[in-house]
Amino acid sequence: MVSVGLHALVSRNHKGCDSTEQPTAWENQTNNHWVRKRTMGRKTSKKHAGVNTDHTVESVSGGNADDNNRSHKDKKTTHVPQTSFLRKQIDPETAKYFAEIANAIEGTEIDPEERSVICGNALEETRGKEAELATDYIISHTLQTLLEGCSLDHLCSFLQSCAKSFSHIAADRSGSHVVETALKSLSFHLQDNENHSLIEHALKKICKAIVVNPVDIMCNCHGSHVLRSLLCLFKGVPLEEFHSTKSSVGLAERLNLKALHAKDNVSLQSVQIFPSLLKKFVSEMLNAASEDISKLQMNQYSSLVLQTVLKLLAGNEQELLHLIRVLLGSSAGSANAGNLLEGITIRNILRLVEETAYSHLMEAILEFAPETLYNELLTKVFRKSLFRMSSHHCANFVVQALASHAKSQDHMDLIWEELGTKFRDLFEMGKSGVVVSVLAATQRLHSNEHECCQAIATAVCTGDEFPKCIVPRILFLENFFCSRDKSNWSWPHGTKIHVVGSLILQSIFRLPSELIQVYVTSITSLEEHHVLEASKDPSGSRVIESFLNSNISGKQKRKLVAKLRGHFGELSVHPFGSFTVEKCFTASNLNLRETIVSEMLPLQPELSKSKQGPYLLRKLDIDGFARQPDQWKSRQASQQSALKEFYATFGPKETKSFEKEESFLADTVSKSKPGKLKDIRKEIETTLASAKTSNTPFLAHQVSKKVKRSKDEKKRHRKDGESESKRKKIKV
């Protein structure tokens, strides 16, 4: 019955015309019911009217340590006036028709093929009225449902019909949702190569309409997001996936805690759906907006579009060079190598980086700029201005990007020359993000590492308290530098550990031990209750873990672990402390391991209910220790012995011989390459597992395998020799 009614509903020739009549009471009731039934998550409050709160203010360039400072202090945005667009009122008959369609297909189980036909037929009724219907708050929801369920032919037909009014629809609060739904539906059809020509034809028509006046749509909060979705479609990547990176991930990339996502662009470059269309569209869009580049530089929404373009063009050096030179305000003439920035007003760039939108854009430029252009930006534009920029609440992010994307040791030397002696000033101004970015860059490029560690230590601690006070003051960086009496400052109990201070120490403990001895002395001098408090803090526990993961001697690690004696039980059931307990166990010798497990034993029921507890119970073999302590000790000793023998045979040559009672993993993890280390660990675990079941020593397996292999080889050689002699006899 439902199918028959729907076919009758959508197959009629709808001839409603535009009218200024008001909807009837029945239609108002139906429309109100539809608003309550489906709101698509859109907010109707005045606060959010006209603003897409989920996307309009995000930055493509990743997060930064001081990002909160920038977002609130500088609100200057250039708004470009948009061409007036008067939307005609929808006639009552059309409104009634789409209300009936919505009530019929929403919440009703329909065969997918039949649903596709129904949606396609309903979309045909929108021809000539796409702009009015898509920008209607109520009917736009219905159109989204139809676009999600229709065939590719109807989808492309709808987009082509919208092309003439595309900019107006995309710039509307409701219309933007309709267009993005259509683009998202298109992306699902890209998996079939046979659909590409049909999709490309529709996209070309849309692009042709946009380049007539791209500035309006780029500078609109809704239109910019639609435009970014369209650009990502050229690469075959949905916008949500393309910009799913959180600010914390961007910060981790800059601090070497995660591989730079510029490397991930290799996968983006391999996805080439419409590469020529992307390049042509970007080129024509820039040409059409050539007289409004200054407006695009200052507008927060157009800045987001341009950042997306930069990321999509990663790997295309010529296109990137042209785009970046245009965005920097370069003259249109050709530029020679070494003079790429000729004609650019350097003072203008230095002024613009103090604006919120442009500073975000400059971060993206520095991230994706080829080395030749980066070199000129650093040497010709920003050199001798780095400290002044670091003092500014927006420009300091550009300095962070300069350090994070430095290409060589020469670049790092120039940055260090200006900022190496200014760390204390930067800490006092609250610009610790600049310091941590410089530290990460020195570590990545192996330039000025020792000097950077010394400069940080000197910035926070001098005099008689050196080096004991270094780690506590870095942990509470903001609290220390905000205190009036710094000489009498002490550990502030109950205060959260500073995130950037934690990141600084994590970076430092990844350096070679000979460069960071003052930090080792400082952290091992902490009071027991301070170590316990840090282990329960989300940022502090990361510092303890990084120290225990470092290549510092096992003796120093065990010195810190021993300070937690008597607290391993409470830490094991703590959401952050549980991770610290695992690292403590790995870094400990047999006696300390026994202490850790003994303290955790009474808390087995609580551990089994906690998030990390079941993993700790298995990893530390708590149940095995409870049942047979002596055998548990024997297994731990066997594991240590097996690991030592394994590394002595297969480990890297630079690995030092083991000291007596030294924890094996604690001293060799950081000296081995991560990739090889994972493979070695897997082999160790499988070998140890088989050794447990057969009660055979680790090396016995290796010997037995070699003996068996040698016997098999002898048999094979014997057979080969016999067969060879037979062949010779036959030949003779």
Side-chain angles (χ1 to χ4, degrees):
M1 293 295 291
V2 173
S3 301
V4 175
L6 285 173
H7 278 300
L9 183 65
V10 299
S11 61
R12 68 182 180 86
N13 183 18
H14 180 65
K15 296 182 179 180
C17 57
D18 295 329
S19 172
T20 57
E21 296 179 12
Q22 295 298 322
T24 64
W26 182 89
E27 289 155 3
N28 282 329
Q29 185 178 359
T30 306
N31 290 345
N32 291 335
H33 168 71
W34 174 236
V35 172
R36 290 194 299 271
K37 186 174 179 182
R38 176 175 177 175
T39 59
M40 294 293 291
R42 303 184 200 170
K43 297 181 180 180
T44 58
S45 64
K46 292 182 180 180
K47 178 180 178 182
H48 300 290
V51 178
N52 186 342
T53 56
D54 293 332
H55 303 287
T56 52
V57 294
E58 68 172 336
S59 170
V60 179
S61 55
N64 296 286
D66 303 315
D67 210 15
N68 290 334
N69 294 337
R70 172 164 51 178
S71 59
H72 298 294
K73 290 185 180 180
D74 196 348
K75 296 291 184 179
K76 294 181 181 179
T77 301
T78 303
H79 295 283
V80 178
Q82 197 170 348
T83 317
S84 59
F85 172 66
L86 185 61
R87 185 176 67 85
K88 298 178 183 178
Q89 189 171 359
I90 299 169
D91 65 282
E93 188 177 353
T94 302
K96 178 182 176 181
Y97 171 72
F98 281 100
E100 290 174 354
I101 286 285
N103 290 328
I105 63 175
E106 278 296 310
T108 307
E109 291 187 7
I110 308 173
D111 181 73
E113 292 184 5
E114 188 176 357
R115 186 183 185 87
S116 177
V117 173
I118 294 167
C119 292
N121 290 338
L123 282 176
E124 288 181 2
E125 300 293 331
T126 65
R127 287 185 181 177
K129 302 185 289 291
E130 292 86 2
E132 291 81 2
L133 296 172
T135 54
D136 181 83
Y137 180 75
I138 298 169
I139 298 178
S140 64
H141 294 96
T142 308
L143 290 182
Q144 286 181 256
T145 303
L146 298 176
L147 291 167
E148 290 170 347
C150 69
S151 65
L152 178 61
D153 290 332
H154 284 102
L155 187 60
C156 292
S157 177
F158 176 81
L159 284 171
Q160 291 180 54
S161 299
C162 289
K164 191 176 293 185
S165 306
F166 187 85
S167 296
H168 298 299
I169 296 172
D172 182 78
R173 182 180 63 169
S174 299
S176 61
H177 287 277
V178 174
V179 175
E180 289 199 64
T181 300
L183 295 176
K184 189 175 182 180
S185 297
L186 271 185
S187 65
F188 296 139
H189 294 282
L190 289 174
Q191 298 174 0
D192 190 349
N193 293 336
E194 294 180 358
N195 297 331
H196 286 188
S197 59
L198 183 61
I199 295 173
E200 186 175 10
H201 180 68
L203 294 178
K204 281 182 177 178
K205 199 163 184 180
I206 292 174
C207 293
K208 188 176 180 180
I210 291 174
V211 296
V212 173
N213 184 14
V215 178
D216 280 355
I217 190 170
M218 291 176 73
C219 295
N220 179 272
C221 59
H222 305 299
S224 64
H225 197 268
V226 171
L227 194 51
R228 292 162 65 199
S229 298
L230 177 63
L231 289 164
C232 290
L233 189 62
F234 295 146
K235 277 282 188 179
V237 185
L239 182 63
E240 293 79 9
E241 180 183 332
F242 190 71
H243 292 305
S244 60
T245 305
K246 296 181 180 178
S247 59
S248 58
V249 176
L251 181 59
E253 290 170 350
R254 289 194 169 187
L255 304 183
N256 306 326
L257 300 173
K258 184 180 184 292
L260 283 171
H261 69 260
K263 297 177 183 178
D264 297 336
N265 287 327
V266 176
S267 61
L268 282 175
Q269 292 169 31
S270 63
V271 181
Q272 297 288 338
I273 306 297
F274 307 114
S276 58
L277 184 57
L278 171 64
K279 295 174 185 177
K280 184 179 180 181
F281 177 56
V282 171
S283 176
E284 291 183 1
M285 196 164 56
L286 287 176
N287 290 337
S290 58
E291 296 182 1
D292 297 303
I293 292 298
S294 59
K295 297 177 182 178
L296 300 181
Q297 291 172 335
M298 300 285 287
N299 185 276
Q300 59 175 322
Y301 305 119
S302 59
S303 174
L304 293 171
V305 175
L306 295 171
Q307 290 172 57
T308 302
V309 173
L310 286 167
K311 188 172 183 178
L312 289 170
L313 290 178
N316 300 292
E317 187 166 324
Q318 290 301 319
E319 286 78 10
L320 273 176
L321 277 173
H322 174 68
L323 172 61
I324 293 173
R325 292 184 68 250
V326 170
L327 297 181
L328 293 176
S330 173
S331 57
S334 60
N336 300 321
N339 293 304
L340 296 171
L341 302 181
E342 187 178 7
I344 296 177
T345 306
I346 295 177
R347 288 184 181 178
N348 189 43
I349 296 177
L350 291 174
R351 177 183 60 81
L352 286 173
V353 294
E354 297 182 354
E355 303 292 337
T356 304
Y358 192 82
S359 66
H360 280 298
L361 181 59
M362 181 55 72
E363 288 180 65
I365 289 173
L366 292 170
E367 180 177 358
F368 299 107
E371 185 171 353
T372 51
L373 184 55
Y374 174 93
N375 183 64
E376 288 194 46
L377 283 169
L378 177 60
T379 56
K380 292 184 177 181
V381 180
F382 298 121
R383 192 178 182 183
K384 304 298 182 183
S385 302
L386 293 181
F387 180 66
R388 182 183 61 79
M389 290 168 60
S390 300
S391 308
H392 192 270
H393 66 275
C394 285
N396 81 88
F397 295 99
V398 176
V399 178
Q400 291 184 47
L402 274 168
S404 299
H405 304 295
K407 314 293 183 183
S408 65
Q409 291 186 350
D410 292 337
H411 294 159
M412 198 59 241
D413 289 339
L414 290 175
I415 295 172
W416 178 255
E417 181 184 346
E418 292 189 50
L419 299 178
T421 59
K422 304 291 186 180
F423 282 3
R424 187 174 182 87
D425 296 326
L426 292 171
F427 282 142
E428 289 176 344
M429 290 186 294
K431 301 299 181 288
S432 54
V434 176
V435 177
V436 75
S437 296
V438 171
L439 171 62
T442 60
Q443 185 178 3
R444 176 171 56 86
L445 296 171
H446 303 291
S447 172
N448 301 294
E449 293 171 285
H450 185 49
E451 292 85 349
C452 190
C453 290
Q454 286 182 322
I456 293 173
T458 305
V460 299
C461 187
T462 54
D464 298 336
E465 295 182 338
F466 186 89
K468 185 178 178 181
C469 64
I470 294 175
V471 169
R473 291 183 179 181
I474 294 178
L475 286 174
F476 297 97
L477 200 60
E478 186 176 357
N479 184 283
F480 170 71
F481 280 102
C482 287
S483 64
R484 294 181 179 180
D485 188 6
K486 293 182 176 59
S487 58
N488 293 321
W489 181 89
S490 60
W491 184 288
H493 294 284
T495 303
K496 271 195 170 185
I497 287 174
H498 196 248
V499 174
V500 178
S502 170
L503 292 171
I504 289 174
L505 289 174
Q506 289 178 57
S507 296
I508 286 172
F509 286 130
R510 289 200 302 273
L511 293 168
S513 58
E514 59 269 17
L515 302 182
I516 56 173
Q517 284 304 310
V518 290
Y519 293 90
V520 175
T521 303
S522 180
I523 196 170
T524 54
S525 301
L526 290 175
E527 300 289 338
E528 294 181 4
H529 58 285
H530 292 164
V531 178
L532 177 62
E533 189 174 337
S535 300
K536 293 181 178 180
D537 185 273
S539 300
S541 60
R542 295 279 188 177
V543 174
I544 303 296
E545 291 167 34
S546 64
F547 175 77
L548 296 175
N549 275 334
S550 66
N551 62 355
I552 296 160
S553 69
K555 184 178 180 180
Q556 295 285 3
K557 293 178 183 179
R558 291 195 296 275
K559 185 178 179 181
L560 184 69
V561 172
K563 293 178 182 289
L564 293 172
R565 196 189 299 267
H567 301 285
F568 292 114
E570 63 175 296
L571 283 175
S572 65
V573 294
H574 192 274
F576 304 114
S578 57
F579 295 97
T580 304
V581 170
E582 182 191 355
K583 301 299 180 185
C584 288
F585 184 85
T586 304
S588 298
N589 56 20
L590 186 57
N591 292 334
L592 269 176
R593 288 187 176 190
E594 185 178 359
T595 301
I596 293 171
V597 176
S598 299
E599 293 183 19
M600 293 173 61
L601 193 58
L603 297 172
Q604 273 186 285
E606 289 84 350
L607 281 167
S608 61
K609 297 175 185 177
S610 64
K611 186 176 181 179
Q612 185 75 357
Y615 170 77
L616 284 177
L617 290 172
R618 292 193 305 271
K619 178 78 181 288
L620 278 58
D621 192 16
I622 306 294
D623 189 54
F625 178 81
R627 286 186 283 103
Q628 296 173 324
D630 293 335
Q631 289 191 13
W632 182 88
K633 293 178 187 178
S634 177
R635 283 195 298 271
Q636 293 295 321
S638 298
Q639 285 183 3
Q640 289 288 77
S641 176
L643 291 170
K644 289 179 183 179
E645 291 172 357
F646 188 91
Y647 268 87
T649 306
F650 303 106
K653 294 180 180 180
E654 63 270 18
T655 303
K656 297 179 181 178
S657 58
F658 292 97
E659 298 177 4
K660 202 170 186 180
E661 293 185 353
E662 190 80 339
S663 172
F664 178 75
L665 287 178
D667 287 333
T668 58
V669 166
S670 59
K671 297 180 184 179
S672 303
K673 292 183 179 180
K676 293 182 179 179
L677 185 58
K678 288 181 180 178
D679 297 334
I680 292 172
R681 278 177 175 169
K682 287 181 180 178
E683 189 170 347
I684 292 171
E685 289 172 359
T686 54
T687 308
L688 289 175
S690 60
K692 282 182 183 180
T693 56
S694 60
N695 294 323
T696 310
F698 170 73
L699 290 180
H701 283 266
Q702 306 298 322
V703 174
S704 63
K705 286 180 182 178
K706 289 180 181 178
V707 171
K708 187 177 181 180
R709 194 182 300 117
S710 62
K711 288 181 179 179
D712 293 339
E713 287 176 357
K714 286 180 180 179
K715 288 180 181 179
R716 187 168 62 254
H717 287 310
R718 195 183 299 121
K719 289 181 179 179
D720 292 342
E722 291 175 358
S723 60
E724 184 66 26
S725 60
K726 286 180 181 179
R727 279 198 299 271
K728 287 180 179 179
K729 288 179 182 179
I730 293 170
K731 192 174 182 180
V732 172

